[in-house]
Amino acid sequence: MDLSFLMEYINLVVLGICLCLGYVIKNYIPKINNQYIPPIMLVVGTIINVLTNIPNFNAAIILGGMISGLASTGLYEAMRNLVDKDGKKGE
């Protein structure tokens, strides 16, 4: 199943904001369990995308926010795995 069509819905601004917010939550707010970060980013991404596209509000805007928020968690994990390759942080 090819999911590449979802790439057209990613908003880079929303993705960047969610990536930074997710980083802060994960590293500086230990009371929040890691399993709650993706749903938080989904909601935050949706809200940001809706707010930035108020005059043109439609279902694609909601989908774009949701995908961008969730993609930020995947991007964070990918970046973390590149930096922490084989359990060696930046060595």
Side-chain angles (χ1 to χ4, degrees):
M1 185 160 99
D2 185 25
L3 298 176
S4 63
F5 70 94
L6 294 175
M7 292 296 291
E8 69 185 59
Y9 290 103
I10 291 181
N11 182 323
L12 292 179
V13 172
V14 175
L15 178 77
I17 292 170
C18 288
L19 178 64
C20 294
L21 182 61
Y23 176 83
V24 168
I25 290 172
K26 179 155 179 80
N27 292 300
Y28 297 106
I29 308 176
K31 290 184 179 182
I32 296 178
N33 193 332
N34 288 342
Q35 72 181 11
Y36 297 119
I37 295 175
I40 291 169
M41 293 303 100
L42 182 135
V43 171
V44 169
T46 303
I47 291 170
I48 293 170
N49 210 30
V50 166
L51 290 176
T52 58
N53 293 291
I54 286 177
N56 302 324
F57 182 74
N58 59 31
I61 300 301
I62 295 172
L63 179 62
M66 294 170 80
I67 290 172
S68 298
L70 289 176
S72 71
T73 60
L75 181 59
Y76 173 80
E77 291 299 322
M79 289 174 43
R80 185 180 59 102
N81 289 335
L82 285 175
V83 171
D84 187 18
K85 196 172 193 178
D86 297 326
K88 302 174 188 172
K89 286 189 177 182
E91 291 180 9

